[in-house]
Amino acid sequence: MIGLVLVSHSAALADGVRALIKQMTQERVPIAVAGGVDDPDNPIGTDVIKVAEAISAVYSPDGVIVLMDLGSAVLSAETALELVDTEWLPHIHLSAAPFVEGALSAAVQASVGSPLEQVLAAARGGLAAKQQHLTPSAAPTAIPMPASVPALHLTVPVPNRLGLHARPAARLVSLVGQYAAEVTLRKGEREASARQINAVALLDVRQGDELEFTAQGTDARAVLDAIQQLAKDNFGDRDVEAPHPVITVQAKRPVAVLAGVSAAPGLAVGQIYLLDDTRPDLPTGRSADPAGEQVRLTDALSSARVELDVLSRRSEAGAIFQAQSLMLRDEDLLRAAQDQIKQQQCSAEYAWWHAIEALAARYRDTGNAVLRWRSADIFDVGRRVLRQLAPETAAAIHVPAGSILAAPDLSPSEAAQLNRDEVRGIVTQHGGATSHMAIIARGLALPAVVGLGTAYSMLTSGQTVIVDGDKGWILPHPTAEQIAAACRTIEQQRLEQRRQRAVGQQLAITPDGRRIEVAANIGSAADAVSVAEAGADGVGVFRTELLFMSHTLPPSEAEQVQAYTTAAENVHGGSVIIRTLDVGGDKPIAYLKLPREDNPFLGYRGIRCWLERPELAETQLRAICRVSAQHPLKVMFPMVGTLEEVQTARELVRAVQTQLTREAIPFDPQMEVGIMIEVPSAALLADVLADHVDFFSLGTNDLTQYLMAADRGNAHVNALVSPFQPALLRTIQQVVRAAHARGKWVGVCGEMAGDPRLTRVLLGLGVDELSMNAPAIPAVKTIIRETDYTAAQAVAAHVLTLPTAAQVEAYLDGQSA
Amino acid sequence: MITAQHIRAWLERSAQTFAAQKGYLSDLDSPIGDADHGTNMARGFAKVVEKLPPAANNADSSTLLKGASMTLMATVGGASGPLYGTFFLRASAAVAGKSELDGADLHALLTAGIEGVVQRGRAEPGDKTMIDALLPAAQALKTSLDQGADLVAALDACVHAAEAGMQATIPLQARKGRASYLGERSIGHQDPGATSVYFLLAALCDAVKG
């Protein structure tokens, strides 16, 4: 059920609104209030912590809508979002709706089980009934007008400094959209419909221009009054256009640093390459079915609009996406593309991009700097629609060597295809540090700064810049000394990396001759490059979730073959363990249509869910088996808790192999099949399960949480989730013994595998493989190469006698000091 | 070097300052705001001190700043709650894991805090807000450090710049917050938020000097 949170300066007001709602909805909607502050002398105010608690009290993935009165209530609600679980953020919506009317409308709509979009719309429209009652003409209802209604006129000067650029134009178009009257605006000889964002923007209206509005319809007077009000309000602009907080400089001086958000660390020097206007590789092909192409285009546009509407609500740059969404509602643009499809019998992609280029050219030709910048937005929306039409064509990116790639935004699939020989760094206008693109950039070891905001428009192709991915900013006009200094730093870092890598490339063999496989955990095929450079002997876990999450449909067998092959090639002959898809109700993979669960951590996830989706499971296993013919691949199943699950999974592997044999497709019949040990039942059954698999991999992150019955995301109990817990270490020992007694090997792939303080213990416990994030590899290999196995066994034996995590930690800290 | 003891002293001195300047700040706030800035800040910082972990806990700077952030968010009440709360939250993250702060760390602390305030309040320089004292203060700190000044001298420069920034808000027209409702009538009044920034930085400087 959707929950409501009421934030008010006054506890009495919040409680009163709650009482009103309860009376109207018979308590069907969860409501939490955050009203006032806990100071009896001055109770009026807002409390961020209360807001965060209220959100937690009614949160569910169905959504939470937060309504606020004003001023600090809004700031407190925004701040509260910094305190809640980041995975919740997509489901929490701060509504600008009027506090009382919005809350009532939202509650009534939610109580009948409406989807979130409708509830949000109901909140926003909360004032409609009252408006219609008091001033019927202002209500946004369309009433057919007799042709004889005379047109009304309004002339206003444009007060704001930048004229009607995209955001004020979007405000005007949105405003007019609320009325039924037909409104046009005229600047000199040129006239445009006030309903068309591009038409309005292309009038190139500047400060001081006189605009003549003409409105015809029953509510013409009301719309002109509203327009006059908007003009008085400077068209909504605040005329100090310091585009983004630039901390190190005063406003209006030449900008020395463009500040964004650090997404991947490192320093890079290179020339900006703007991705905005590069032409994607398009199928120019004719189409025999123009009507079908027209439908495809209409569908793609509506999907893109939905994406943009979602982005505009979630993102700080919401206004930009809103303006982009309006561009996609521009009938002239759509008509241009549809006409071309019809007249030239061409593909939807071709016609669409042609229309986008033509529109962008018109923006660029206006001679207005602000409008020229908008052409980046045009290309951005153009690409968004292209991605809907043909995901593969919009993704291929090639840039000159030594470039800093600059783009409004990069999709994960685009980022994953970047070539490190060409790209030295990434800069984007939108996006945040937690986006998939950022994860991929870190995997590729490409310095990245995202979220430059409007400062992005100051970049031009070919300009030499310094990207500082650690600090999250770029120097747009570095001096020769700054460039030289940056290059020195980069060179020093490269030397240090090379030294580390030299350590990493050596085998991890103890002085008394025991070899440990030191492998890396990866999330995409591209990660494998940096992993190999860090010295990984192979890949201990290829988490395939990202592969499945970055698509709107499950990846095909061919795509998966490609991904697994690339990963194997990138580790140069090392073995690669592919973990089958590990998702559950907490991961947003829309096409899986997984049920929402109260407790996904204990729910329908991992192998439990995967085995019940044979089409998904078979496709993934076929891809893995096919790649096993050429590369040393292993397969591993997550979240196993019973023998039956292992047997079912093995039968499925056999069935897929039988099918491949029948199709004469080669595979490796000896491919090792293993399971993750992360559910305590699997650890206790290790002797039984070992007879049915080739290896175990201890997923110690989840195993510790399940053993300790504690969630590491819960601040009250997360201290229990420690790799030093004696219960965990004993479990590892038992699993290793059970496996070794049956000739099977055991790896560890949780965070503890990369923690140098624990390397000796794991070595001494007899673990055969350690799989970790790449940066930890050199340190762990160094310890193994310096520690006798017999000495490690002594350490492990002693640690197993210690009864508390604190004692284990203290002892190991003493050992490594 | 700035230690956790200095940070603790900073918070304590801030509480003393705001208790003493409560009336002055609220007076500044009365022609252009809700006349509650002084009361709110005094209440918030009194609670911060009340909730400081015992000295024997050896809490580090980051922990102390984070605790202050949470308390301010919960107790200040007005817009300064989320704004100063965010300032200290980001500041805390910027110095996480450091046992001692040098000049560069302090600059990072301030810069992170300022970024938080800018992001939260969406104010720009010249809007007659806290930002008008914070930005020049951070800039002055950095300039002095770059010129080789020691920490105390750099902090002095920082406080002077905050004071100048505070005074420079007098001729400005407010464009954010409650004061912006007054339009041109906000001109001629010193911004209470910029003033509390000055007090806060002066308390830091005093705490470091000991």
Side-chain angles (χ1 to χ4, degrees), chain A residues 9 37-39 41-50 70-72 75-76 78-80 82-83 238-251 253 259-260 316 471 473, chain B residues 36 39-40 43 47 69-71 73-83 85-86 89-90 107 111 114-116 118-122 124-125 127 135-136 138-139 142 175-176 181:
Chain A
H9 282 68
V37 288
D38 292 331
D39 178 351
D41 298 331
N42 300 283
I44 298 291
T46 56
D47 173 345
V48 178
I49 309 293
K50 271 193 193 175
L70 71 176
S72 74
L75 294 187
S76 291
E78 286 185 313
T79 308
E82 299 207 10
L83 305 181
R238 296 281 162 262
D239 267 349
V240 181
E241 288 277 323
H244 193 273
V246 175
I247 301 302
T248 52
V249 292
Q250 300 288 314
R253 286 224 218 111
E316 289 207 6
K471 298 205 177 74
W473 64 38
Chain B
D36 61 0
T39 326
N40 288 348
R43 172 175 58 205
K47 282 278 175 197
S69 154
M70 294 297 147
T71 308
M73 285 185 190
T75 58
V76 170
S80 312
L83 289 169
T86 305
L89 185 66
R90 300 289 174 83
H107 182 251
T111 308
I114 294 170
E115 279 175 354
V118 168
Q119 191 190 346
R120 181 68 54 236
R122 306 202 176 92
E124 289 165 356
D127 282 354
L135 279 177
Q139 178 69 34
K142 179 155 194 333
R175 275 190 291 252
K176 282 285 167 189
Y181 299 173

Side-chain angles (χ1 to χ4, degrees), chain A residues 284-308:
Chain A
T284 49
R286 311 244 146 227
S287 166
D289 177 20
E293 292 296 308
Q294 287 181 329
V295 171
R296 282 183 65 223
L297 181 57
T298 315
D299 288 350
L301 279 168
S302 62
S303 307
R305 275 199 299 266
V306 170
E307 277 183 11
L308 285 168

Side-chain angles (χ1 to χ4, degrees), chain A residues 536-561:
Chain A
D537 301 329
V539 169
V541 193
F542 183 161
R543 300 188 200 95
T544 52
E545 290 75 62
L546 191 55
L547 186 62
F548 283 77
M549 282 159 81
S550 53
H551 290 63
T552 48
L553 286 173
S556 65
E557 186 178 322
E559 280 172 277
Q560 293 190 53
V561 165

Side-chain angles (χ1 to χ4, degrees), chain A residues 647-660:
Chain A
Q647 288 170 329
T648 313
R650 288 222 72 138
E651 274 162 29
L652 197 59
V653 174
R654 267 194 296 278
V656 164
Q657 292 179 334
T658 311
Q659 184 65 31
L660 289 174

Side-chain angles (χ1 to χ4, degrees), chain A residues 114-139:
Chain A
S114 300
L116 186 74
E117 302 309 320
Q118 278 181 25
V119 179
L120 282 168
R124 280 194 301 274
L127 281 177
K130 195 156 75 181
Q131 272 171 340
Q132 185 153 23
H133 180 84
L134 296 173
T135 45
S137 62

Side-chain angles (χ1 to χ4, degrees), chain A residues 629-691:
Chain A
Q630 266 90 38
H631 299 284
L633 239 52
K634 303 179 171 74
V635 63
M636 172 163 86
F637 303 107
M639 274 301 282
V640 171
T642 67
L643 176 60
E644 291 91 329
E645 284 164 347
V646 177
Q647 288 170 329
T648 313
R650 288 222 72 138
E651 274 162 29
L652 197 59
V653 174
R654 267 194 296 278
V656 164
Q657 292 179 334
T658 311
Q659 184 65 31
L660 289 174
T661 310
R662 217 171 285 145
E663 296 171 30
I665 296 174
F667 62 91
D668 173 13
Q670 307 297 322
M671 177 180 74
E672 291 191 15
V673 177
I675 57 172
M676 299 272 293
I677 301 282
E678 50 195 336
V679 181
S681 66
L684 290 166
L685 286 175
D687 53 343
V688 176
L689 301 181
D691 286 331

